[in-house]
Amino acid sequence: MSEAAVDTPIEAASPFEMRVGLGTHIPELDVHAALQSGDLGFLHSFTTGSCVDGPGVRLVAWTTSCMFRCQFCHNPDTWNLSNGMPVSVPMAVRELQKYGNGLRVMGGGLTISGGEPLMQYRFVSKVFAAAKQLDIHTALQTNGFRGGKLSDPDLNDIDLIILDMKGFTAAQHDRVTGISDNAPVIEFCERLSALRRPMWLRYVLVPGLTDIDDEMARMARFAASLNVVERVEILPFHQMGRYKWEKLAIPYKLNATEPPSAKTVERAHAIFAAEGLKVV
Ligand code: SF4
């Protein structure tokens, strides 16, 4: 693949920018080879200056492809790999080098998010290894389903795992994501705990879908038992991604759903805090 094939800017003002079809010109065999080698990744975009995707100010790489179909997803344009722009590891490292000093000064680093980054775990591991060579803090934002693909040395290159937990019971996980088997997520969390790898836990609070006290209480108890969860972030649902569902003509079940009330958010905070977790 020639780098000249990429004519869309790799940087986006925000992940809410809609991007589709940027990798459709890559032959399927090359895509397969890229995934196997990890030499090439598919990215929705890079955004700079994020203060909500890990500690300090972050450069965020948004990958494409995801195995979940969360009802509240605000980036359905990241679901298909071929919507992303092909980016080689050296191209990604050049971006990192541009921002390295600034990221260090601002106590930030590189976050790889998505989509689900571990759909491209070989590429992601290579970029994280390069970031550590540059002494840049690294964070992986993941749904955890393919955490088992990362080796222990891969995990050593990731300073922080930000785990987006969608549901604790299989039934609720299925309702939210369309996949009932969340055992791989639970197993990944337990492995991170055994390896003493720092974690943040994220939970999207959606009225009528995820604001279920018993689910949150069970998740909170589990998170506390891991002893590596440094903070829990309760993310109130919003409608900023709705336009993407409309443009992509994907049926969207949450059209009439409002953001949670302050009282609902407070209740969620209290449930996690009751287990001794730091909640923000
Ligand atoms: S895991 Fe993330 S990217 Fe995938 S569908 Fe859910 S919210 Fe969207």
Side-chain angles (χ1 to χ4, degrees), residues 156-171:
N156 282 337
D157 284 331
I158 307 174
D159 296 311
L160 174 68
I161 302 276
I162 304 172
L163 198 124
D164 290 317
M165 198 172 273
K166 314 295 182 183
F168 191 71
T169 60

Side-chain angles (χ1 to χ4, degrees), residues 223-278:
S225 76
L226 298 172
N227 286 316
V228 289
V229 176
E230 295 177 344
R231 64 196 265 171
V232 175
E233 297 184 341
I234 304 292
L235 307 179
F237 169 73
H238 58 71
Q239 290 284 12
M240 285 172 75
R242 175 165 59 188
Y243 86 100
K244 291 188 175 182
W245 289 74
E246 284 164 8
K247 282 199 167 173
L248 294 167
I250 309 171
Y252 181 57
K253 292 185 182 163
L254 303 181
N255 259 316
T257 303
E258 300 281 340
S261 66
K263 209 169 152 196
T264 304
V265 175
E266 257 173 51
R267 200 177 75 228
H269 274 238
I271 289 171
F272 282 91
E275 295 295 337
L277 295 158
K278 178 182 172 187

